[in-house]
Amino acid sequence: MLREMGLAPLWKLRTAPAEAPAQQALPEAAATIQDTGASSAVAGMDWEALHASIVACQACELCRARKQAVPGVGDLSPDWLFVGEGPGAEEDARGEPFVGQAGKLLDAMLAAIDLKRGNKVYIANTVKCRPPGNRTPTSTETAACWPYLERQIALLKPKLIVALGKPAAQTLLQTEVRVGEARGRLFDHGGIPLIVTYHPAYLLRTLPDKAKAWEDLCFARATMRKLLEK
Ligand code: URA
């Protein structure tokens, strides 16, 4: 079963990239989305406008160090929406989410339940720009980026959302989450069922929890089957 998921214990994290140099403070004019009221503008955007807004975004400090913003990838009429944390170095360079080591594991996890990125699957992140040194995004950063994810969900209308790790789960559920306690439960995000599981990067570091991630994927697949029967 673990081999099927590509979870044989051969995965290793590459050496963590060096911290990005200290960032300049944002100019005062570059306030957060919430401050400027641009949040409601995002809420009315079509897909094209949303994409353009994300790639030009300066709503938080993360815009300073990014090579490019990473809006997301996949089927625009998906059954599944997987939400990660934020782009890493390879995603920042390529403009696509989950293309590094964690992405290879995510692809293997998808394949284990007969899914493929781009085929009824959309992959997005909680923050669209790389946190320097791959640190966890701050609550200010996730709040600044939330209108984008919220609009993506509204436009994509997935049947099921899978939150990969704590920042995604907390942002989507708007509450403190412990992944170990939240997994195995069916949550609701504005009428869309939501399941929480471990982030692939965490699984690369924590072999014993890979079997739990497999259980979570089986739960997600069973949930989707029920949703598709409706
Ligand atoms: N980790 C994430 O959460 N997202 C990515 O796109 C890559 C790694």
Side-chain angles (χ1 to χ4, degrees):
M1 170 271 285
L2 292 178
R3 254 198 318 278
E4 195 180 323
M5 278 174 72
L7 293 182
L10 299 169
W11 296 90
K12 270 196 192 158
L13 269 184
R14 288 189 188 156
T15 315
E19 280 288 331
Q23 303 301 303
Q24 287 177 297
L26 280 175
E28 274 174 36
T32 64
I33 284 182
Q34 283 80 359
D35 291 340
T36 60
S39 179
S40 51
V42 171
M45 284 177 183
D46 64 13
W47 193 259
E48 207 173 296
L50 180 63
H51 190 276
S53 178
I54 292 171
V55 299
C57 183
Q58 297 198 350
C60 79
E61 294 281 338
L62 295 183
C63 69
R64 293 283 170 199
R66 72 176 178 219
K67 288 197 174 75
Q68 59 189 314
V70 181
V73 71
D75 196 323
L76 297 186
S77 183
D79 290 338
W80 299 81
L81 172 64
F82 288 81
V83 182
E85 185 173 317
E90 288 174 70
E91 291 77 18
D92 181 56
R94 287 179 48 187
E96 181 173 335
F98 284 101
V99 290
Q101 289 301 299
K104 285 185 187 145
L105 177 53
L106 179 59
D107 285 339
M109 292 164 72
L110 295 179
I113 52 168
D114 299 318
L115 296 178
K116 201 170 169 211
R117 73 169 64 203
N119 186 5
K120 286 288 167 194
V121 172
Y122 194 89
I123 302 172
N125 275 313
T126 305
V127 295
K128 313 303 188 201
C129 299
R130 182 189 179 209
N134 296 345
R135 64 164 171 73
T136 304
T138 65
S139 54
T140 306
E141 291 157 357
T142 54
C145 220
W146 167 241
Y148 294 131
L149 181 57
E150 188 180 30
R151 187 62 187 154
Q152 285 178 315
I153 294 169
L155 291 170
L156 292 168
K157 299 186 180 58
K159 293 191 171 63
L160 178 63
I161 300 174
V162 179
L164 301 167
K166 188 177 174 112
Q170 294 196 153
T171 302
L172 288 159
L173 296 173
Q174 296 290 297
T175 184
E176 275 285 314
V177 172
R178 293 170 75 108
V179 176
E181 288 168 9
R183 54 176 292 276
R185 294 169 58 190
L186 197 56
F187 293 90
D188 174 270
H189 175 79
I192 302 173
L194 183 147
I195 284 171
V196 176
T197 189
Y198 295 106
H199 191 285
Y202 166 82
L203 294 173
L204 291 174
R205 300 188 298 266
T206 320
L207 296 180
D209 283 341
K210 289 180 177 177
K212 293 184 191 162
W214 171 246
E215 285 172 16
D216 298 343
L217 290 172
C218 291
F219 174 49
R221 179 171 57 182
T223 303
M224 179 60 80
R225 282 184 181 150
K226 284 189 202 144
L227 291 168
L228 292 173
E229 278 167 13
K230 281 186 184 168

